Amino acid sequence: MSRSSLSLVLGAILVLGAALPASAQTLHVDKKNGFQVVPPKGWTKVPIKVEERWIAAKWLSDKKYDDKESGFSHQPMMKVMIFDRSKIQPGGGSTDSAGGAKEQEGPKVGDKIDLTAPYLDYKDYLKRNFNEGGWFVSAEDATKMGSTPVTMIEVKVEKLTYTGKKRLLAWVFTADWGDLAIEVDSLEQSFDKLRPIILGAYKTFKLIPRDPTLAGEDPGIDVGGGIRFVDPNETAEQRKKRRQAAEEAMFKKAVSDLPSEWSSKRSANFLVLNHANPKFQEKVLAHAEAVRAWLDANFGDVGDDYVQKMIIRICKNRDEEMAFRKGSGDAFSIDSREAIVSENKDGTSQFEFEYLGQSIMRMWFHDKNADLYDAMPQWLERGLSQYIGTAVLKGGRLDFSPDTYETERIREGRRMSKFSPVRDLFQMTGKDLWSGENARYLDAQIASVFRYVYGPGRANRKLSTLIKDYITQLLAVVQENEKAARAEVKAEGAKTEEEEEEEFKKRRKQDWSAKEKEFLKQVSEKVFGGWTDGDWAGLQKGWEAFAK
Amino acid sequence: MTIPFLRRIPAALTLACGLAGTAGADAIQFKDGRSYEVSKIVEGEGGYRLIYGAGEVFVKKELVSLVLMSDASGNFVPKTDEERANLDKGLVPWKGKWVAKAERDKQAAKEADEAKKAMEEARKHQEWRDRYIDETAHFRFEYTIPKEKCKEYQVLMETYFTEFTKKWGIRVDPKQKKLLVCFYHDQEYYYQVSGAPRGAIGYFRFVEPIELNFYYDRNDERLTLDVMFHETNHYLTHLINTKFHYPPWVNESLAEYYGASEWDPVKKKMSIGHIQEGRLVNLIDAVKADEMQGLEEMIKMEQFDALMYAWGWSFVHFLMEHKKYSAPFQKFYLALAQDKNVSRQPHFAEFMKVGGDEQIRVLKQYLGLKDLKGLEKEWHEYVKGLKLTSHRGYEEAAQWADRWGMKIKAGRFYRTAIAEGTKNPQTFDNFGEWLQRDGNPAEAVDMHRKAIELDPMNAYYYLHLGQAMESAGDKEGGEAMKKLALELEPNDPWLAFQAKNTIIRAK
């Protein structure tokens, strides 16, 4: 669109704008952020991430458009973004406990150094968020709607855009307190078809007075990057309180931000936000609680910490999930515990359950024992996550049978002799596992070994507690190494370039891979020190028979 | 548009034009295209003083292409009887002559108006929608850098095209479209418009629409040249056979070999075969750790990381600079894409490739070798004999040594880079920080001042200068520099954090 056509569009609006009454049926009024708009007919409101600070509302088109050039299809999205001028300075809006800004003077426990760089305006937001191809502002025009200054911005997305060339059309309304930008993205090929729909909605956009009472209390969610000062001697009980507060804040905000078509439900360990079939929700919730119960039963004693309750967000389909996931780059929080799944009618739901189970497992271990989570070898993490991920809830119990993919890889791997001795598997680093051409077979082998150990292998006394024993010893090694590191006297430092080079050579030999190997060796010696060759042969034979 | 020459508005002059007295009307444009609005600019000895609330920024005239000063003082103070007499007659000084005040005001207003228009024109062309578009014999240039700077690259790239196609015997299809070259005025804008992923500092797109993208690095033009030579080489070798995909050890390594080329803008000549010092630093690292790269293993690799770029470059450099191997290697290079006896296999889309074993067979055939073991040994010995020769290599080596905790070596390399004449402000800033850590804040202050002299608008340099001044005992001066840094870059949280002005919130 040329500058002149933008002006023409605006001319039409200036005439029509005053006469157009807001359509009562779909008028969206946001008193908190000071705007109202009628979204295009049939477009669905998409929830906003709990951690989001810039996007106030978004709607997903009811139609998909095909791009003939790239072969991809695209579902346009309309969103409203808020750029409050009072927040554009670094750390803006952040205060100390007395409610005022202060200079840094020896941080205390609970303080946070806010290192986020707030978005200055719509263009700055695009620069730091848009990642679907190279883009530039192709047209820009400033005018007024009534007394409100409006900047109309058109953006073309042309280079390295694998999903089709696109165009964004944004109008930025300037209020006395900041900017509000409304934007729609469209395939270049379908832009002309969409333009009347987009403009129809833009015509209805209007600034209204902000109601500060609706902003409510600051939910206290720790969002974006920064440095948080935590008490190094914090007890498990203190951590529990901190996590419970974060959990409550997250839950509260998630529910309050939910579009009216969504429902919410709390269970013992989860808050479910649902836009899918209620039956699917019940299936998801039952599965989640079963996985959580399995983790509590099998690993409940690996740590003392409180495992934070999670949000499970169920979108009605993959498109809605993708639209939900598109948010601002700083919309994240270390306190977040959320898994997003969608109901799909194309037979891919099992992948949703796999993702759900694995997410629950990772967050569970992260909370239960951070040392364990950080030190978990890849074979152990991958084995457990595959074992839990592929579990299916049948008759109220989790069935841990392998999925088709694993069964096929095991068959192929056996035929092509791609497996490693089980004894070696337990000492493999990430590089050993994933860098070679046998990676996918080793991946399947790990899962299969876990199924054996947790299945028929339980009959063997040594195997019945193997994974738990391994974790216990792993934690012991972590503690020993930490103690040794604290006791180590720092070398005085090189005095000459030759000495520096010698130290450099030593450090190079002690890279992460070498350290990982050494760590695995230490743990293995503790766990398998008492094992005989016969024990290993028994495990190898038992697994091979099981995997046939 | 031509980039305006430096318009110097005499200090002893008050502009009676519309700019006078307008807050924020002063502006400065650098030769690299950057421009800034400043509340007040005053001409000083050898440059301009940009007046900020927290202090002044001094910009040398050699960095400036255009300046607008709304409040150049017209209160000329006579020092001699002759000057006093001229003033009494209603005359004022103007470009070395005494002219009537009204005439001077008219001329000054006209010049200011022209300068303003020129600056607006230059700013406008930094938007991709208003980019410049020029065509040369073999390229179509679309760019946002100053026009005169791009002209230098247009001459260079045409020379490169002619010399390369001649040396390598490439016959260009007369129907071959001109290559689209997209050249951006800075790194951020390059990433935004080109869509390149972070870390990819230039790219040649070899499928339709075929194009080349890179940016102008104002602090390190050598890097700009390097990237241009490298990426253009991909295009030139693409012309050998547009349906063939060279393996990385050949493709990236020859591009790196040409990436180190040098250009004499006066004689309009390019020279090849120079040391790719940035890559050599990586090799020094590997050689010291006795981690030599196997030749056959490298040939069979389908992906190349930064270290492999270094090994690949060194191998091609070794071959290209070797009397015996140079000509046969060039024939081998062409043969991979053209020789009917080379076995090729489908790669992706319509592209063909040659497998690792076949590459080795053809390489041995063209170099007249039975196996590659001897060649590998020669290559390794060659690498061990390569030495850093310029400030560019030393500054990269200094950073590398600093990263690996070799403090003494890093200090020596920084000093050598400076002694060898580096003009990279980042090197001075890095060395200043090194000196600070080494407990030498006085010398650190000198280094940071030098960095500022070369790039006076970099807020971090003022921050580091402020920190060094404080360490050297000048608390007040240091604090002023940190405040100036914050004024230059008010929205950078890291800068704010380091300037100890970060807001903390209690949970």
Side-chain angles (χ1 to χ4, degrees):
Chain A
M1 184 190 280
S2 66
R3 276 168 183 243
S4 55
S5 59
L6 268 173
S7 300
L8 284 174
V9 166
L10 186 75
I13 293 150
L14 290 174
V15 174
L16 295 169
L20 269 175
S23 167
Q25 54 179 3
T26 52
L27 177 69
H28 173 86
V29 181
D30 186 338
K31 289 184 182 170
K32 186 177 127 192
N33 291 301
F35 73 93
Q36 65 178 44
V37 65
V38 181
K41 195 176 173 189
W43 288 36
T44 312
K45 190 153 191 269
V46 179
I48 305 296
K49 287 182 181 180
V50 175
E51 304 89 346
E52 180 64 60
R53 289 186 289 179
W54 310 95
I55 301 173
K58 51 187 179 182
W59 292 267
L60 189 62
S61 163
D62 53 343
K63 281 187 189 155
K64 269 189 180 181
Y65 296 83
D66 294 326
D67 183 62
K68 288 170 193 152
E69 201 178 325
S70 68
F72 283 86
S73 59
H74 176 71
Q75 211 162 353
M77 186 159 72
M78 183 168 93
K79 59 186 176 191
V80 178
M81 287 157 279
I82 307 292
F83 303 99
D84 188 335
R85 217 168 285 127
S86 70
K87 292 181 180 169
I88 65 169
Q89 293 295 322
S94 305
T95 56
D96 64 6
S97 51
K102 63 175 184 180
E103 299 279 308
Q104 182 182 354
E105 287 170 2
K108 297 187 291 292
V109 167
D111 280 351
K112 183 188 172 184
I113 296 180
D114 188 350
L115 292 174
T116 53
Y119 302 111
L120 304 178
D121 52 29
Y122 173 69
K123 282 193 209 167
D124 186 43
Y125 183 89
L126 271 187
K127 272 182 197 166
R128 294 197 271 145
N129 272 282
F130 192 80
N131 57 9
E132 294 171 39
W135 63 273
F136 64 98
V137 174
S138 50
E140 187 171 355
D141 219 347
T143 187
K144 280 192 171 184
M145 282 182 74
S147 60
T148 307
V150 178
T151 308
M152 297 183 295
I153 296 172
E154 181 192 79
V155 170
K156 286 189 174 175
V157 185
E158 294 188 343
K159 293 183 191 294
L160 296 189
T161 169
Y162 300 106
T163 54
K165 287 180 181 168
K166 295 197 182 71
R167 213 185 297 190
L168 314 181
L169 189 60
W171 286 9
V172 181
F173 294 75
T174 302
D176 53 2
W177 50 266
D179 288 348
L180 297 93
I182 182 163
E183 175 210 272
V184 174
D185 63 337
S186 159
L187 282 172
E188 182 62 38
Q189 289 179 2
S190 48
F191 183 73
D192 288 342
K193 271 187 211 167
L194 265 168
R195 184 159 48 187
I197 299 170
I198 298 170
L199 295 177
Y202 285 11
K203 286 169 198 172
T204 68
F205 194 91
K206 194 177 163 190
L207 301 188
I208 57 173
R210 283 200 297 180
D211 183 349
T213 59
L214 292 171
E217 291 172 38
D218 177 2
I221 298 168
D222 194 359
V223 177
I227 300 168
R228 185 159 67 176
F229 294 89
V230 179
D231 182 357
N233 301 314
E234 188 180 48
T235 63
E237 193 53 39
Q238 287 168 324
R239 238 180 335 265
K240 181 179 178 181
K241 279 186 185 162
R242 182 160 58 80
R243 284 180 182 165
Q244 280 178 329
E247 175 185 294
E248 257 330 292
M250 288 273 175
F251 282 16
K252 199 174 160 188
K253 185 154 191 302
V255 172
S256 71
D257 287 351
L258 216 50
S260 57
E261 301 80 14
W262 286 62
S263 64
S264 66
K265 181 178 179 178
R266 281 185 85 148
S267 70
N269 295 294
F270 301 93
L271 166 69
V272 181
L273 308 172
N274 184 42
H275 195 213
N277 190 314
K279 278 186 186 169
F280 186 71
Q281 171 191 277
E282 292 311 311
K283 199 176 162 191
V284 167
L285 191 51
H287 186 90
E289 285 292 0
V291 169
R292 168 74 197 244
W294 188 88
L295 288 163
D296 286 339
N298 285 276
F299 297 103
D301 56 354
V302 299
D304 300 327
D305 274 335
Y306 173 74
V307 177
Q308 205 170 306
K309 292 173 185 171
M310 279 176 65
I311 293 173
I312 300 174
R313 193 179 295 266
I314 311 173
C315 301
K316 71 175 175 187
N317 54 40
R318 184 68 45 79
D319 294 325
E320 187 173 73
E321 182 184 334
M322 296 303 288
F324 170 76
R325 286 181 184 274
K326 277 186 184 175
S328 306
D330 61 356
F332 64 90
S333 168
I334 54 168
D335 293 329
S336 175
R337 307 283 186 274
E338 180 168 338
I340 305 144
V341 295
S342 48
E343 183 180 17
N344 295 297
K345 312 244 183 313
D346 59 358
T348 59
S349 275
Q350 187 46 41
F351 293 114
E352 301 296 320
F353 285 95
E354 186 167 344
Y355 163 77
L356 177 66
Q358 291 178 348
S359 300
I360 293 169
M361 183 205 107
R362 291 198 180 100
M363 291 181 206
W364 190 93
F365 275 108
H366 174 275
D367 283 351
K368 194 71 183 169
N369 189 326
D371 287 342
L372 169 62
Y373 179 77
D374 291 341
M376 206 179 259
Q378 293 204 25
W379 68 263
L380 177 57
E381 199 274 345
R382 188 66 190 144
L384 270 175
S385 69
Q386 288 192 90
Y387 183 71
I388 292 165
T390 51
V392 177
L393 189 64
K394 286 181 182 170
R397 291 173 62 89
L398 286 172
D399 174 37
F400 292 98
S401 299
D403 61 8
T404 318
Y405 179 83
E406 184 184 317
T407 307
E408 282 172 9
R409 290 292 87 71
I410 290 291
R411 194 182 302 131
E412 267 178 48
R414 196 174 52 237
R415 184 168 49 81
M416 296 160 73
S417 301
K418 294 287 187 183
F419 298 131
S420 289
V422 178
R423 185 177 193 164
D424 295 349
L425 213 56
F426 293 142
Q427 286 206 48
M428 281 190 173
T429 62
K431 195 176 168 189
D432 295 336
L433 284 166
W434 317 127
S435 64
E437 58 182 16
N438 294 340
R440 60 185 173 151
Y441 300 108
L442 292 177
D443 193 43
Q445 187 188 5
I446 295 166
S448 180
V449 169
F450 267 77
R451 289 184 210 290
Y452 173 65
V453 169
Y454 277 118
R458 275 187 183 268
N460 178 328
R461 190 178 51 80
K462 280 187 171 157
L463 295 185
S464 64
T465 56
L466 177 63
I467 304 300
K468 278 293 292 293
D469 291 346
Y470 191 93
I471 286 173
T472 307
Q473 296 304 334
L474 180 147
L475 285 167
V477 172
V478 168
Q479 282 175 6
E480 282 168 22
N481 288 353
E482 273 180 11
K483 207 173 162 187
R486 275 198 292 272
E488 193 182 345
V489 180
K490 285 263 177 199
E492 207 174 291
K495 295 267 191 303
T496 63
E497 283 193 29
E498 289 70 28
E499 286 174 17
E500 275 185 345
E501 280 191 16
E502 277 311 305
E503 286 183 6
F504 163 70
K505 279 184 190 175
K506 278 185 205 162
R507 279 200 300 275
R508 288 278 297 195
K509 301 288 176 207
Q510 293 169 346
D511 63 0
W512 167 243
S513 182
K515 282 179 185 165
E516 192 184 359
K517 252 192 170 18
E518 177 60 27
F519 177 73
L520 289 170
K521 197 174 156 206
Q522 283 178 288
V523 182
S524 287
E525 278 169 6
K526 280 184 178 283
V527 180
F528 303 114
W531 281 41
T532 63
D533 287 347
D535 291 331
W536 284 112
L539 171 58
Q540 184 71 31
K541 201 175 160 191
W543 170 70
E544 284 175 2
F546 169 77
K548 260 189 184 172
Chain B
M1 191 206 102
T2 49
I3 274 292
F5 55 86
L6 174 64
R7 288 173 196 275
R8 293 166 53 195
I9 300 169
L13 180 70
T14 304
L15 289 178
C17 63
L19 290 171
T22 310
D26 286 7
I28 188 163
Q29 184 179 304
F30 285 67
K31 285 182 179 167
D32 57 37
R34 286 177 297 156
S35 57
Y36 299 87
E37 283 193 3
V38 187
S39 59
K40 191 174 178 186
I41 300 176
V42 178
E43 189 173 17
E45 179 93 15
Y48 299 95
R49 289 160 50 219
L50 281 50
I51 316 295
Y52 285 88
E56 291 183 12
V57 166
F58 184 76
V59 183
K60 287 171 102 176
K61 282 185 179 168
E62 65 200 48
L63 299 174
V64 178
S65 69
L66 204 61
V67 65
L68 272 177
M69 294 182 291
S70 59
D71 188 27
S73 170
N75 300 322
F76 177 71
V77 180
K79 287 177 187 147
T80 65
D81 290 343
E82 188 191 348
E83 287 174 352
R84 234 170 263 121
N86 280 333
L87 278 183
D88 290 344
K89 282 185 225 165
L91 300 175
V92 289
W94 173 247
K95 297 191 172 180
K97 290 178 185 173
W98 287 91
V99 297
K101 186 172 178 296
E103 178 60 21
R104 182 206 62 184
D105 288 352
K106 190 178 154 194
Q107 289 293 325
K110 190 181 167 211
E111 286 200 358
D113 191 45
E114 283 172 5
K116 193 178 175 190
K117 280 181 189 159
M119 202 177 277
E120 279 167 3
E121 179 77 356
R123 274 186 195 155
K124 182 183 154 196
H125 286 289
Q126 288 197 342
E127 289 287 342
W128 193 246
R129 65 174 181 258
D130 294 317
R131 63 194 177 275
Y132 294 109
I133 299 175
D134 293 334
E135 290 198 9
T136 60
H138 300 98
F139 303 100
R140 174 187 167 89
F141 285 87
E142 298 189 0
Y143 57 98
T144 59
I145 60 160
K147 204 168 176 106
E148 291 196 347
K149 177 53 74 179
C150 191
K151 270 189 182 161
E152 291 173 23
Y153 282 79
Q154 289 172 354
V155 175
L156 164 52
M157 287 174 73
E158 281 296 340
T159 307
Y160 188 13
F161 186 97
T162 306
E163 290 194 7
F164 189 88
T165 49
K166 187 178 166 195
K167 181 179 171 70
W168 288 74
I170 298 168
R171 273 181 295 175
V172 182
D173 183 346
K175 289 177 193 162
Q176 181 70 36
K177 275 196 303 186
K178 290 180 181 183
L179 175 69
L180 172 61
V181 178
C182 303
F183 195 3
Y184 306 91
H185 61 273
D186 68 23
Q187 190 184 43
E188 279 308 305
Y189 203 59
Y190 153 78
Y191 281 125
Q192 179 196 307
V193 180
S194 78
R198 293 276 155 179
I201 53 178
Y203 70 81
F204 166 62
R205 181 183 162 109
F206 56 90
V207 293
E208 288 295 341
I210 290 174
E211 61 181 59
L212 194 152
N213 285 259
F214 65 108
Y215 67 92
Y216 180 71
D217 189 320
R218 64 190 156 82
N219 284 335
D220 189 2
E221 187 160 4
R222 179 58 244 180
L223 178 69
T224 309
L225 284 167
D226 206 318
V227 174
M228 184 280 298
F229 277 124
H230 179 113
E231 297 302 333
T232 307
N233 190 263
H234 286 320
Y235 169 64
L236 295 170
T237 55
H238 172 77
L239 295 174
I240 296 169
N241 177 350
T242 56
K243 302 293 177 222
F244 180 71
H245 198 75
Y246 273 102
W249 80 268
V250 183
N251 194 28
E252 297 301 343
S253 308
L254 189 71
E256 278 297 285
Y257 175 80
Y258 272 90
S261 300
E262 288 183 1
W263 170 246
D264 183 333
V266 180
K267 293 180 184 163
K268 306 214 181 309
K269 291 266 177 208
M270 65 178 280
S271 56
I272 61 173
H274 302 283
I275 296 294
Q276 188 59 273
E277 301 217 9
R279 300 297 179 199
L280 182 54
V281 170
N282 288 326
L283 294 183
I284 290 170
D285 175 2
V287 168
K288 280 190 192 305
D290 301 322
E291 292 167 358
M292 304 304 282
Q293 175 61 48
L295 180 53
E296 291 203 8
E297 186 193 1
M298 179 173 80
I299 290 173
K300 289 180 179 178
M301 281 181 183
E302 296 201 348
Q303 299 288 328
F304 252 32
D305 61 14
L307 180 59
M308 291 318 301
Y309 270 58
W311 282 115
W313 161 76
S314 72
F315 184 55
V316 166
H317 193 271
F318 158 67
L319 294 173
M320 287 289 288
E321 298 302 308
H322 199 288
K323 272 189 182 174
K324 185 175 146 197
Y325 297 133
S326 183
F329 170 68
Q330 289 175 56
K331 284 181 184 161
F332 157 80
Y333 195 101
L334 294 168
L336 280 182
Q338 295 176 331
D339 188 338
K340 286 178 184 163
N341 295 318
V342 171
S343 169
R344 294 180 199 90
Q345 48 187 273
H347 189 19
F348 63 90
E350 73 270 38
F351 291 93
M352 303 293 283
K353 69 172 184 176
V354 178
D357 290 335
E358 178 68 352
Q359 290 173 50
I360 291 167
R361 182 193 72 75
V362 181
L363 183 65
K364 285 195 288 194
Q365 179 196 324
Y366 275 83
L367 297 189
L369 300 168
K370 284 189 177 163
D371 67 57
L372 297 183
K373 278 289 156 204
L375 186 70
E376 180 184 276
K377 199 174 167 199
E378 277 186 81
W379 165 43
H380 286 173
E381 289 307 312
Y382 181 77
V383 169
K384 286 174 187 170
L386 290 172
K387 296 267 186 288
L388 297 174
T389 55
S390 75
H391 61 76
R392 191 172 167 75
Y394 283 108
E395 55 204 7
E396 292 213 27
Q399 286 176 34
W400 163 78
D402 228 357
R403 267 199 308 276
W404 280 98
M406 289 190 274
K407 192 181 147 201
I408 303 167
K409 191 182 283 293
R412 180 167 64 83
F413 284 159
Y414 278 128
R415 284 192 194 282
T416 311
I418 288 165
E420 292 288 331
T422 182
K423 295 284 179 216
N424 189 336
Q426 197 55 48
T427 300
F428 288 97
D429 188 65
N430 288 344
F431 187 41
E433 293 212 272
W434 183 94
L435 286 161
Q436 268 270 73
R437 292 196 299 273
D438 197 45
N440 188 352
E443 198 182 350
V445 166
D446 293 342
M447 290 303 128
H448 292 306
R449 286 199 193 283
K450 186 69 189 168
I452 287 169
E453 187 185 316
L454 292 162
D455 186 4
M457 302 308 288
N458 189 316
Y460 276 90
Y461 297 167
Y462 292 92
L463 169 73
H464 297 156
L465 172 62
Q467 289 168 332
M469 286 167 80
E470 283 183 344
S471 300
D474 182 0
K475 301 281 178 203
E476 201 178 321
E479 192 56 39
M481 285 301 114
K482 292 200 294 191
K483 281 186 178 159
L484 181 56
L486 286 167
E487 194 173 347
L488 288 174
E489 196 61 81
N491 296 307
D492 183 333
W494 285 101
L495 186 105
F497 175 50
Q498 290 177 71
K500 293 184 181 173
N501 196 29
T502 305
I503 294 166
I504 288 179
R505 73 165 177 232
K507 292 296 292 175

